[in-house]
Amino acid sequence: MLEELRLEMEAMAGRIIGRRRDFHRRPETAHNEFATSAALRDFFLKTGLSVAAMAGTGLRAVLDGRPGGRTVALRTDIDALPLAEEGDKEYASTTPGACHACGHDGHMAVLQAAAEALARRKDRFRGRVVFLCQPAEELPPGGAKPMIEAGALDGVEAIFGLHLWQPMPTGTVGAVRGPMMAQSDNFRITVAGRGGHASMPHQAVDPILAAAAVVSALQSVVSRNVDPLQPAVLSFGTIRGGTVYNIIPGAVELSGTVRTFDPDVQALMKRRLVEIARTTAGSFGAEAEVEYEDGYPPLVNDAAETDFALAVAARLFGGKSVVPIRPVMGGEDFAYYLREVPGAFLFFGAGDGTRFPHHHPGFDLDEKALPSAAALLAGLALEYLARPG
Ligand SMILES: [Zn+2]
Ligand SMILES: [Zn+2]
């Protein structure tokens, strides 16, 4: 059955690539995916599935096989990035300031092909396949959580998803059993002092000096507070304050991100961030106010379902296609589904012949990966539903 699926997808390559290019030409950013969502809705209806809209531009399409059996979900994200595309692709973005620079256009085309292949086989499997088209992956708090709140996972016993992955060679597949992508939070610190003349610092409380000390002191959180065997990142992304060389400003604003895998480490970093910022600023007579925003939780694959998914990949493409990978500190809101039901998120290599990484204005995928990725998604659903019990 898997080999038949693989050959069928190879035969559909032209159509899959054509659809990916259509999505690529008309990118829509988080929560604005109206035309994208409408196109997907039409597709599912034409393919004979029932479709419900949810979470704004999100969709939940259902394909029933023979009665009884299990329910498995497959997910695609549907949003593009607020980024002007560069390069001279024949299928370049026609929307100024937006482009599919993460590969979600490919994810949609792959999910569509999987839906078609499964719909053709609906008399040959028992159970139900739920297709989730999720908005706003790129913009925390993201689309996964509202989809779940709207009932996306109702009755779902397992979920699978993949990311076409430029850093990996085309046709390779990898996943980590357990934590694979990081909790990604952001914070803002306002260090308030008292402004004054730069030549008379004794009459002022200098927030620039206090902010500099806060930045330095916070480097000790990862190096001195976090267990050295636990992954953790604390990076500043902005530092803003002041207007001119001879004025001590009233306040300085800092922002940055915290990346972790372990909830205890996250809690520790959050706590130390607030403590160190406040006490350090306080020691200069300044005050620090910290706003901390939890982002996507860590993406934690179910070990058994990861083994299952990689075994399906090995049967489809040969054992050599499955490659060991390490966790990454990037975030992904597929994490929310995996907190509700077991499943796995896979990286599917699509890097051959490409020059630019994800989120670069010149990003592109190796489209030769698309039929194989579609075969894998469809294969995961079929093999999951074929399990005894
Ligand atoms: Zn992205
Ligand atoms: Zn992405």
Side-chain angles (χ1 to χ4, degrees), residues 158-241:
I159 186 164
F160 298 95
L162 57 80
H163 208 300
L164 293 158
W165 207 238
Q166 187 273 340
M168 285 165 53
T170 300
T172 58
V173 184
V176 181
R177 307 164 92 245
M180 173 156 134
M181 299 181 78
Q183 166 92 34
S184 38
D185 305 336
N186 67 83
F187 63 85
R188 204 164 66 187
I189 303 173
T190 307
V191 180
R194 196 172 62 245
H197 200 292
S199 69
M200 289 170 262
H202 57 292
Q203 295 179 342
V205 173
D206 184 359
I208 292 184
L209 181 61
V214 167
V215 172
S216 297
L218 282 172
Q219 305 308 312
S220 72
V221 176
V222 171
S223 72
R224 302 292 90 178
N225 298 136
V226 175
D227 179 340
L229 293 179
Q230 291 276 11
V233 174
L234 191 163
S235 290
F236 285 91
T238 66
I239 173 164
R240 287 201 186 89

Side-chain angles (χ1 to χ4, degrees), residues 46-60:
K46 253 184 239 148
T47 313
L49 278 69
S50 62
V51 191
M54 52 175 57
T57 46
L59 298 175
R60 181 185 200 262

Side-chain angles (χ1 to χ4, degrees), residues 187-192 207 209-226 234 236 254 258 265-292:
F187 63 85
R188 204 164 66 187
I189 303 173
T190 307
V191 180
L209 181 61
V214 167
V215 172
S216 297
L218 282 172
Q219 305 308 312
S220 72
V221 176
V222 171
S223 72
R224 302 292 90 178
N225 298 136
V226 175
L234 191 163
F236 285 91
L254 312 164
V258 169
V265 175
Q266 186 217 14
L268 170 72
M269 291 190 62
K270 201 191 282 194
R271 179 168 62 78
R272 291 299 287 151
L273 183 72
V274 173
E275 285 170 0
I276 291 174
R278 282 195 189 142
T279 54
T280 305
S283 71
F284 290 84
E287 265 175 44
E289 191 189 302
V290 182
E291 290 163 68
Y292 192 101

Side-chain angles (χ1 to χ4, degrees), residues 41-113:
R41 185 191 178 83
D42 286 352
F43 162 81
F44 284 122
L45 291 174
K46 253 184 239 148
T47 313
L49 278 69
S50 62
V51 191
M54 52 175 57
T57 46
L59 298 175
R60 181 185 200 262
V62 172
L63 173 68
D64 281 318
R66 297 200 315 272
R70 299 165 180 262
T71 298
V72 64
L74 304 174
R75 173 267 207 175
T76 182
D77 33 21
I78 66 172
D79 57 323
L81 284 157
L83 182 71
E85 182 157 23
E86 287 173 10
D88 53 2
K89 296 179 189 78
E90 175 246 308
Y91 45 92
S93 166
T94 55
T95 310
C99 82
H100 271 294
C102 199
H104 302 181
D105 50 348
H107 300 168
M108 290 186 272
V110 162
L111 188 88
Q112 285 180 302

